Amino acid sequence: MIKLYDHPLSGNCFKVKLLLIQAGLTFETRVVDVFKGENLTTEFKKINPAAKIPVIDDDGYTIWESNAILIYLAERYAKNYLPTGIETRGTVFKWLLFNKTSLDPYLAKSRAILKFMPEDKRDFKELESLQAQGKKGLEIFDEYLEGRRFIVDDYSIADIAFYPYIKLCHEGNIDLKPFKNILLWIAHVENTDNFLNIS
C-alpha cells in the first residue's frame, strides 16, 4: 500500500492526496508535524534527506518532491492524468516546471509569512517582493488559460499541481479577482470527479 507522509496544511501534500483520491488509489497517511520539527529528525531524514514533505513510500520505493510524485503516480497508476502525445505531454511537463520555479515558491512563501509566522518575525519587504513575483506568475498563467478549460485538453496532473497554492493565495494577501481566466479554471478543476476540498 502507498504511504503518504503528509501535513494537512501543506499545499504540496494536498496535490498528492488529491491525485490519490481522484485516481481511486488506496493509501494511508502518516502526518509529519513540521511545526514541531518532525521533518528534521534523523529518522525522517533517512526517508527524505531534504527534510521536506510530501513523500510517498510505494511498497518500498520512496519518492519525494510533489510534482515528481505526481508524475510517478500518473505513469504507474493513473495514466488518465498524463497525456500520451509527445507535444501535449511536453506541455504538461513545461507547466509542472514553471509551477515549481515561477509560481508556487512565491505564493507559498507569501502564505507562510502571513499565516504561520509571528507578526514580529515577518519581513514585509520580502513579502512585498514575493507577492509581486507571484502576481507575475499568475499573469503568465492567466494569459495562457484564455479560452482553455484546463492546462491541456483534459484535466491532468498539471492542473492538480497548480491548484492548491493558487486557491490559497488569498492567505498570502494576493487577490485573484484580476485573473478572470484563473477563476474560471478553478471552477473547472473543482468540478472534476471525486474532487477534494482544500482546507
Side-chain angles (χ1 to χ4, degrees), residues 2 13 16 35 58 62-63 66 74 76 82 95 122 132 142 171 179 188:
I2 296 169
C13 291
V16 176
F35 297 104
D58 183 12
T62 301
I63 182 169
S66 58
R76 186 159 191 177
L82 186 59
W95 284 105
R122 296 172 185 169
D142 189 73
E171 294 184 349
F179 305 109
H188 295 316

Side-chain angles (χ1 to χ4, degrees), residues 19 31 41 45 74 80 137 141-142 146 148 162 188 191:
L19 178 58
V31 173
T41 64
K45 285 183 176 179
N80 290 343
F141 189 48
D142 189 73
E146 178 71 39
R148 293 181 168 90
F162 273 80
H188 295 316
N191 198 42

